[in-house]
Amino acid sequence: MYNLKPDKYDIKEYQQSKHKNITLSEMFGRYFFQEYLKKWYSPNNIMFTKPLYDTHDVELDTNLGRCFFEIKMRNKTYPTMLLEVDKYKSLIQTQRRSTNEYNNPSSYYVNITTDTNKVIYWDLNDIDINKIPVEQKNCPRTTYSDRNDYILKDCFMLPIKEGKEISYTFSINELKNQFEKQLNNE
């Protein structure tokens, strides 16, 4: 786990990756989420996982307990947002394994939409997942897969109306510029 600035690990990962646009997008999503949390909340101990093959992107402590987050940046808002079934299962398993260590852990799936300036999130503990439709979708094998490396995956189609929406007021472009300056050590 590490705090995000973006730090040297992220930059090294980005520079070594042959799929830079995917890694950079993932890094920006994490950066955006961190800045969003700092602006509206007072989170304790924000920790970002290492990008490759982790069950979630972010952990943080709140007055309610330890929270685990999976974050996605979306350029377009749809009536439903997809969450891979395997990603859901791994988030819930991580949460369950942490029950002995933390009081009341919880898992969230977060979509940051740039077309509507909203953060849409689902508390995965409050969803009756058996009522959520599952569809097979052509998805990248992993976050860092080549754009041509797609496979069919089972995905939950989470209705936006069952999530919580929060509008954000700061400019994505302004935040991206800040992020890129930090990335380039300016």
Side-chain angles (χ1 to χ4, degrees):
M1 303 289 176
Y2 58 96
N3 292 315
L4 191 68
K5 289 192 180 54
D7 73 7
K8 292 175 186 161
Y9 177 84
D10 274 332
I11 293 168
K12 183 178 177 186
E13 180 80 17
Y14 169 70
Q15 289 169 339
Q16 291 177 350
S17 174
K18 63 181 179 177
H19 313 295
K20 290 182 180 181
N21 57 336
I22 296 171
T23 304
L24 188 58
S25 172
E26 175 105 354
M27 286 169 52
F28 179 67
R30 291 169 177 224
Y31 180 78
F32 177 96
F33 189 67
Q34 174 182 273
E35 294 304 306
Y36 176 82
L37 287 172
K38 286 189 328 195
K39 186 169 180 122
W40 298 110
Y41 303 98
S42 299
N44 300 318
N45 204 22
I46 301 174
M47 294 173 289
F48 289 79
T49 60
K50 296 205 175 187
L52 207 51
Y53 305 120
D54 263 317
T55 61
H56 56 286
D57 293 318
V58 182
E59 288 181 31
L60 64 92
D61 295 323
T62 69
N63 59 340
L64 302 175
R66 175 62 58 112
C67 299
F68 301 94
F69 294 88
E70 175 67 15
I71 304 166
K72 296 293 179 202
M73 291 287 294
R74 305 283 188 211
N75 293 326
K76 187 169 165 62
T77 306
Y78 298 95
T80 59
M81 297 295 213
L82 69 83
L83 168 60
E84 293 173 13
V85 170
D86 288 343
K87 179 54 76 174
Y88 168 81
K89 288 178 181 177
S90 65
L91 273 164
I92 296 301
Q93 283 176 336
T94 298
Q95 174 186 318
R96 287 185 182 141
R97 280 194 306 267
S98 70
T99 303
N100 293 334
E101 191 175 347
Y102 301 105
N103 250 355
N104 205 22
S106 53
S107 297
Y108 296 88
Y109 182 59
V110 178
N111 278 258
I112 300 163
T113 61
T114 57
D115 63 334
T116 58
N117 290 355
K118 292 192 178 181
V119 174
I120 305 165
Y121 70 95
W122 293 263
D123 181 336
L124 298 180
N125 301 301
D126 289 346
I127 293 176
D128 184 351
I129 205 68
N130 297 316
K131 292 183 179 177
I132 303 295
V134 175
E135 294 180 15
Q136 283 205 322
K137 296 284 186 182
N138 232 356
C139 299
R141 186 176 305 275
T142 68
T143 301
Y144 302 99
S145 290
D146 186 287
R147 291 224 181 247
N148 297 320
D149 189 13
Y150 280 74
I151 61 172
L152 279 178
K153 292 184 178 183
D154 288 335
C155 297
F156 291 114
M157 304 308 292
L158 298 172
I160 286 182
K161 65 181 187 216
E162 292 190 26
K164 293 179 178 66
E165 292 185 31
I166 303 168
S167 296
Y168 57 87
T169 55
F170 47 90
S171 159
I172 279 277
N173 289 333
E174 187 178 306
L175 197 60
K176 241 181 190 163
N177 289 339
Q178 280 180 300
F179 172 73
E180 288 170 357
K181 281 181 183 176
Q182 285 189 24
L183 191 66
N184 295 322
N185 291 324
E186 292 177 11

